[in-house]
Amino acid sequence: MPELPETETIARDLDAALRGAVIDAVTVVRGDVLREATAAAFVRVVRGSRITSVNRRAKSIVVALQSHFLVVTPRFTGALLLTEPADDRYTCLHLALADGRTLRYHDIRRLGTVALHDAARHAAWDSALGPEPLDLALDADAFWHALRSSRQAIKTLLMDQRKLAGVGNIYANEALWRAGIRPTRAGKSLRRLEVGGLLDALRAVLTESIALRGTTFRDFQDAYGVRGGFAAKLAVYGRGGQHCHRCCTPLRATHRLAGRQTVWCATCQR
DNA sequence: AGGGGAACCCGTACGC
DNA sequence: TGCGTACGGGTTCCCC
């Protein structure tokens, strides 16, 4: 479930730890996590290359090499680990660094992916994604325009990576509760003022979660195997049937909206 | 075009 | 207790 705050946590740690590191040896243990490259091509490109930076885009960690990019999308159980995992059976990729450290891509359920991009492919991938919510270049007017053409539910739109990058189920639920907006409202029904409030709420919850190194609901761990601290701060996600922190009404929960867990307060979300 | 649904994967939860 | 099955979850791909 790593969304924006969780992948941001991983990327910041890895950037500090890996900038300038050289990858000496590559072992592909579970080749089915690879995308856009065969195991042989992956080894050929990655072996001997230097890591120039590590960043985040949407819910992916982007490891920049000299000429290529590794785009790691952990999905539910994927992790980029600098420490020895508790169970090495789930190591999919093993990168030995010249300084003696090891970077592993570890994934129990293997729905996560590691793609290899050259510069042109990476630019195309990047341009297909929507704006970053924490980028101040995205203003409420632009966001309002992006939403007002759609009949889809606002919660579905928040999670549409072409419209906005990095927001998944947890933070979509949380931002809508904070903004007092019902998840099922059609995008085009939102007024300009409501969209401004929603963007403010979204930025606040993402920023607070990053400060606590993300939400570990079940599986998320950072590069050192440590859990995030934001789960205790969640107002609605995973709290169906419990009381709303604002008005004490029992929170409603459904899976009907795009098949995902949606939790909201029918009293204070309109 | 835009939206809906299946596939991907396997640990966990649950039923018998 | 032990086995079998349903489920979840984001993205991609396919189809209507």
Side-chain angles (χ1 to χ4, degrees), chain A residues 95-109:
Chain A
L95 307 184
L97 307 180
D99 58 22
R101 291 180 297 167
T102 299
L103 176 64
R104 287 177 175 81
Y105 180 67
H106 182 273
D107 197 340
I108 295 171
R109 285 159 82 177

Side-chain angles (χ1 to χ4, degrees), chain A residues 222-242:
Chain A
D222 67 20
Y224 303 97
V226 177
R227 297 160 63 84
F230 196 70
K233 307 284 185 183
L234 295 174
V236 285
Y237 185 82
R239 295 193 65 245
Q242 298 180 50

Side-chain angles (χ1 to χ4, degrees), chain A residues 21-43:
Chain A
V22 172
I23 299 163
D24 249 9
V26 178
T27 308
V28 177
V29 184
R30 296 277 200 169
D32 60 356
V33 300
L34 294 177
R35 293 294 183 276
E36 308 187 41
T38 62
F42 184 85
V43 172

Side-chain angles (χ1 to χ4, degrees), chain A residues 116-169:
Chain A
L116 180 65
H117 288 170
D118 63 17
R121 168 66 184 125
H122 193 63
W125 173 79
D126 183 81
S127 68
L129 291 165
E132 287 288 335
L134 295 179
D135 183 349
L136 295 179
L138 171 66
D139 65 25
D141 280 322
F143 193 39
W144 182 47
H145 282 289
L147 299 176
R148 66 185 302 193
S149 63
S150 178
R151 284 184 297 273
Q152 281 196 299
I154 181 60
K155 176 163 176 274
T156 304
L157 294 171
L158 284 177
M159 296 167 63
D160 183 338
Q161 303 300 298
R162 296 167 301 181
K163 294 206 161 48
L164 191 68
V167 179
N169 200 27

Side-chain angles (χ1 to χ4, degrees), chain A residues 2 28 45 64 77 124 128 158 165 170 178 206 218 242 263:
Chain A
V28 177
V45 169
T77 54
L158 284 177
I170 293 177
R178 286 189 183 212
L206 294 172
R218 293 189 58 162
Q242 298 180 50
V263 187

Side-chain angles (χ1 to χ4, degrees), chain A residues 39-54:
Chain A
F42 184 85
V43 172
R44 193 183 328 121
V45 169
V46 175
R47 187 174 56 201
S49 59
R50 182 183 297 274
I51 295 170
T52 59
S53 67
V54 183

Side-chain angles (χ1 to χ4, degrees), chain A residues 182-257:
Chain A
R182 210 170 272 234
T184 48
R185 289 266 304 275
K188 66 193 313 176
S189 78
L190 269 72
R191 291 166 313 197
R192 168 66 182 76
L193 199 63
E194 291 179 307
V195 172
L198 178 56
L199 187 56
D200 288 345
L202 181 61
R203 284 172 165 160
V205 71
L206 294 172
T207 302
E208 289 167 32
S209 182
I210 290 170
L212 291 178
R213 302 181 60 78
T215 300
T216 298
F217 198 75
R218 293 189 58 162
D219 300 302
F220 167 67
Q221 52 182 326
D222 67 20
Y224 303 97
V226 177
R227 297 160 63 84
F230 196 70
K233 307 284 185 183
L234 295 174
V236 285
Y237 185 82
R239 295 193 65 245
Q242 298 180 50
H243 295 289
C244 172
H245 289 325
R246 265 194 308 248
C247 72
C248 292
T249 303
L251 296 170
R252 298 184 58 181
T254 181
H255 272 88
R256 281 195 204 105
L257 195 51

